[in-house]
């Protein structure tokens, strides 16, 4: 039995005006053939899980193309076209094949199409016909569109947030795909979509109502009622006409899967008002930090500018507000700013100059600030991320400098990565516990590491492409009968789709 394995992965933030290009994929990782097997088989990623499931079934792997990029603005269509062209050629050369297993994010938009995972699934399905088994893994924040459901036999989403079950999700998709091919199971998938988006920092699977719903789904699988299930809370910064939260249930029959999918979707809908995190104002956080005499920092969460959520990472809003406040707070901040990093490298350590910090990539959406700063240290920008990154743990953020403005230290770099890991500071000589205030541009992933030493973690009201205030963003495509734009009182479940009938 021959199974093609491939990957096209990126999470799109429609409000980030900087498009995602081939060089972003080169940075995230492009592998093909034997190189893909070598690079990914031992990594904590979905592709590795699929490979494991294929190996256990003694089937043959045909390793195709894997392309992965960090979250960001819409993908240039020519990048998608390049993936499709190479993948379709590879599939044609290897026909007949029995299965095609794909690792997606699920919320990928291009400069031309809203539903890239649907487009890829449909293009492959058209080529290989109805009998080939197609299985995909997705991020919990994916957008499980009708085109995906109708062209794929199996879709499995992460069950954890913060995400840590990358491998396990790929394994679930791969295993069910192999069981289908071997005639052991006949999976039938039902999708229920509800018109709602909620901020990603409003829930986790560690505690709270969302974690209870996830546990309920897992109990249904354990009891043998379902083969698999997924709950997608589509990442809310994706502005598309077809999108929303989704419950997927897979069972031996649509009639078995559908009532469970509807029940879980109703429960998810009912908890919609519980997903709004309490937000501090920057001034409230500054006041707390100014009084902080402990050796534990206050964490100001600037999730609106989190590159993990596809924002630009170049917003100097917090720095600007802090300078305006005239408060003396020992602070660490990180900001994407290639020109400032290069200027610091030209000047050398110990030199002083007026820097314009921030707003270099999105001059319209991001604040900048002009200020005299000292070049404190210079770095190549390579560090090892300790947390579960899901990919290679070596991070390269390009030429990096630490600028000091009084007792504020600003890390300026080319492309921020590994935001959830304190190593993004420690690797550049900044020990967070020596600071009263540390700014973290991340959403949820950072909590595991930061809560070990933070005095307080403050979700803060800041502007940006990944703002928690969804109503402040300029959605153009999402229908208006959508939560939180509408309260959905009296809404009846009506959007049900089935995998191939
Ligand atoms: Zn996610």
């Amino acid at each position: 039995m021959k199974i093609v394995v491939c990957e096209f992965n990126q999470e799109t933030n429609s409000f980030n005006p900087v498009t995602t290009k081939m060089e972003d994929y080169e940075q995230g990782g492009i592998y093909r053939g034997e190189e893909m097997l070598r690079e990914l088989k031992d990594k904590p990623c979905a592709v590795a899980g699929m490979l494991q499931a294929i190996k256990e079934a003694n089937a043959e792997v045909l390793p195709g193309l894997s392309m992965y990029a960090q979250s960001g603005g819409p993908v240039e269509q020519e990048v998608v076209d390049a993936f499709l062209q190479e993948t379709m050629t590879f599939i044609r050369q290897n026909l007949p094949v029995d299965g095609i297993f794909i690792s997606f994010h699920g919320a990928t938009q291009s400069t031309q199409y809203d539903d890239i995972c649907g487009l890829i699934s449909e293009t492959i399905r058209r080529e290989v016909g109805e009998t080939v088994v197609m299985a995909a893994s997705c991020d919990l924040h994916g957008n499980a569109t009708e085109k995906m459901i109708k062209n794929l036999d199996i879709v499995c989403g992460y069950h954890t947030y913060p995400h840590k079950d990358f491998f396990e999700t790929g394994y679930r998709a791969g295993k069910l795909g192999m069981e289908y091919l071997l005639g052991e199971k006949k999976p039938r998938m039902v999708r229920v979509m509800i018109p709602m988006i909620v901020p990603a920092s409003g829930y986790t699977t560690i505690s709270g109502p969302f974690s209870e719903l996830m546990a309920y789904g897992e109990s249904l699988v354990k009891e043998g009622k379902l083969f698999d299930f997924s709950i997608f809370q589509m990442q809310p910064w994706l502005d598309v006409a077809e999108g929303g939260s989704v419950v997927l249930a897979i069972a031996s029959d649509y009639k078995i899967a559908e009532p469970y999918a509807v029940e879980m979707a109703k429960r998810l809908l009912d908890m919609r008002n519980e997903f709004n995190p309490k937000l501090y104002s920057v001034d409230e956080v500054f006041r707390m930090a100014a009084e902080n005499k402990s050796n534990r920092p206050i964490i100001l969460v600037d999730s609106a500018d989190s590159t993990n959520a596809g924002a630009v990472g170049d917003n100097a809003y917090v720095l600007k507000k802090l300078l305006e406040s005239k408060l003396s707070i020992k602070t660490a901040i990180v900001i994407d700013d290639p020109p400032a990093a290069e200027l610091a490298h030209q000047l050398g350590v110990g030199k002083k100059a007026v820097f314009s910090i921030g707003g270099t990539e999105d001059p319209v959406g991001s604040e900048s600030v002009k200020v005299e700063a000292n070049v404190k240290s210079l770095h190549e920008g390579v560090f090892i991320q300790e947390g579960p990154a899901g990919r290679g743990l070596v991070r390269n953020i390009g030429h990096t400098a630490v600028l000091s403005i009084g007792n504020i230290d600003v890390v300026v770099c080319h492309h921020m990565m590994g935001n959830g890991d304190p190593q993004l500071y420690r690797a550049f000589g900044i020990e967070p516990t020596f600071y009263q205030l540390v700014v973290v541009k991340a959403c949820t992933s950072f909590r595991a590491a930061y809560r070990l030493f933070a005095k307080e973690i403050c979700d803060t009201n800041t502007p940006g492409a990944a703002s928690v205030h969804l109503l402040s963003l300029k959605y153009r495509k999402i229908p208006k009968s959508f939560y939180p734009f509408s309260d959905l009182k009296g809404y009846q479940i009506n959007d049900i789709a089935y995998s191939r009938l």
Side-chain angles (χ1 to χ4, degrees):
M1 226 173 261
K2 295 197 300 184
I3 316 293
V4 173
V5 176
C6 57
E7 170 170 45
F8 192 79
N9 212 315
Q10 190 259 12
E11 179 183 48
T12 303
N13 184 315
S14 308
F15 301 103
N16 181 341
V18 186
T19 56
T20 296
K21 300 169 184 69
M22 194 56 98
E23 64 202 58
D24 297 299
Y25 280 91
E26 281 160 6
Q27 195 155 41
I30 301 178
Y31 307 112
R32 44 176 67 80
E34 288 303 315
E35 190 192 14
M36 167 174 134
L37 292 183
R38 220 172 31 245
E39 287 293 328
L40 300 182
K41 75 174 183 349
D42 297 320
K43 293 262 168 68
C45 67
V47 167
M50 291 172 175
L51 295 174
Q52 177 69 26
I54 297 168
K55 191 174 151 193
E56 285 175 8
N58 291 318
E60 183 192 349
V61 175
L62 299 171
L65 176 60
S66 164
M67 291 177 61
Y68 181 96
Q70 203 185 204
S71 304
V75 181
E76 291 284 348
Q77 181 59 32
E78 60 187 44
V79 176
V80 180
D81 292 341
F83 171 84
L84 269 174
Q85 199 185 357
E86 185 172 334
T87 298
M88 296 318 292
T89 303
F90 179 79
I91 291 172
R92 278 182 210 121
Q93 282 167 348
N94 284 287
L95 287 176
V97 301
D98 303 283
I100 298 189
F101 296 174
I102 318 169
S103 164
F104 283 134
H105 178 282
T108 311
Q109 184 182 41
S110 79
T111 46
Q112 218 173 317
Y113 298 101
D114 282 350
D115 176 16
I116 290 308
C117 304
L119 176 74
I120 292 172
S121 307
E122 182 184 58
T123 308
I124 297 177
R125 173 62 76 194
R126 223 181 271 144
E127 181 70 33
V128 299
E130 293 297 308
T131 54
V132 170
V133 169
M134 288 177 65
S137 67
C138 288
D139 190 285
L140 182 146
H141 298 111
N143 181 24
T145 63
E146 191 165 340
K147 205 173 252 185
M148 287 168 71
I149 302 305
K150 292 224 178 298
N151 287 288
L152 299 166
D153 300 284
I154 294 154
V155 175
C156 297
Y158 301 157
H159 285 171
T160 59
Y161 185 51
H163 307 314
K164 49 184 188 186
D165 58 337
F166 311 97
F167 176 93
E168 289 80 356
T169 307
Y171 182 77
R172 277 162 45 215
K175 185 155 196 285
L176 201 44
M178 290 314 306
E179 286 169 340
Y180 192 6
L181 278 166
L182 294 167
E184 294 166 8
K185 280 179 183 165
K186 203 179 85 179
R188 294 290 177 254
M189 182 163 65
V190 176
R191 179 201 78 161
V192 177
M193 186 177 256
I194 45 180
M196 102 181 201
I197 45 173
V198 297
S201 53
Y203 56 91
T204 71
T205 53
I206 298 167
S207 61
F210 186 65
S211 75
E212 286 158 24
L213 183 58
M214 201 57 100
Y216 174 64
E218 278 168 352
S219 75
L220 294 175
V221 175
K222 206 176 254 172
E223 289 161 20
K225 291 171 177 150
L226 295 177
F227 292 156
D228 198 85
F229 81 102
S230 304
I231 307 171
F232 295 102
Q233 296 257 51
M234 185 184 88
Q235 66 93 349
W237 306 290
L238 186 69
D239 185 19
V240 290
E242 186 204 0
S245 297
V246 156
V247 175
L248 272 186
I250 307 179
S252 57
D253 195 302
Y254 295 111
K255 282 198 205 91
I256 297 171
E258 184 170 328
Y260 289 117
V262 169
E263 181 199 357
M264 287 192 275
K266 275 186 181 150
R267 280 180 63 175
L268 186 63
L269 180 69
D270 286 344
M271 40 179 102
R272 63 191 176 280
N273 292 318
E274 295 175 56
F275 293 135
N276 291 310
K278 174 196 168 10
L279 289 184
Y280 291 89
S281 70
V282 285
D283 291 321
E284 280 176 299
V285 182
F286 293 162
R287 270 199 300 279
M288 284 163 66
E291 289 160 12
N292 179 19
K293 303 279 188 275
S294 72
N295 57 1
R296 293 174 160 257
I298 302 275
I299 309 300
L300 187 157
V301 184
D302 183 13
S303 61
D305 197 33
S306 165
T307 52
N308 297 344
V312 195
D314 73 337
N315 202 336
Y317 173 82
V318 175
L319 175 62
K320 192 176 180 187
K321 287 284 173 193
L322 186 58
L323 292 169
E324 283 169 10
S325 79
K326 305 261 192 266
L327 289 165
S328 171
I329 303 169
K330 193 164 169 53
T331 304
I333 302 185
V334 56
I335 298 172
D336 244 25
D337 194 328
E342 286 313 315
L343 176 59
H345 275 258
Q346 280 163 21
L347 291 167
V349 173
K351 293 291 190 312
K352 200 177 251 191
V354 173
F355 285 82
S356 173
I357 304 173
T360 50
E361 285 156 80
D362 181 12
V364 179
S366 297
E367 296 272 5
S368 65
V369 56
K370 254 200 178 84
V371 62
E372 192 178 58
N374 250 315
V375 180
K376 193 173 178 180
S377 61
L378 298 170
H379 311 268
E380 284 305 308
V382 179
F383 69 98
I384 296 176
Q385 191 175 343
E386 291 168 338
R391 283 278 156 169
L393 300 178
V394 178
R395 298 295 202 175
N396 185 349
I397 60 174
H399 272 173
T400 298
V402 179
L403 306 177
S404 64
I405 307 155
N407 55 4
I408 304 170
D409 285 337
V410 186
V411 178
V412 286
C413 60
H414 279 248
H415 24 250
M416 201 186 300
M417 277 191 273
N419 312 14
D421 192 324
Q423 279 302 111
L424 181 57
Y425 284 119
R426 287 186 174 138
F428 309 115
I430 293 178
E431 171 46 49
T433 54
F434 293 171
Y435 289 73
Q436 289 170 290
L437 179 68
V438 173
V439 178
V440 175
K441 288 183 190 273
C443 217
T444 301
S445 56
F446 73 95
R447 286 172 213 269
Y450 274 91
R451 71 174 168 202
L452 300 177
F453 59 79
K455 183 170 163 59
E456 191 120 22
I457 292 177
C458 303
D459 289 301
T460 311
N461 188 7
T462 53
S467 171
V468 173
H469 278 306
L470 304 180
L471 296 173
S472 75
L473 294 166
K474 291 190 175 60
Y475 291 90
R476 291 183 300 119
K477 293 180 178 172
I478 277 207
K480 288 297 169 222
S481 58
F482 222 86
Y483 185 83
F485 312 105
S486 143
D487 67 9
L488 291 189
K489 234 186 209 143
Y491 175 80
Q492 297 293 323
I493 301 273
N494 59 34
D495 190 350
I496 302 178
Y498 306 87
S499 56
R500 300 175 304 132
L501 284 166

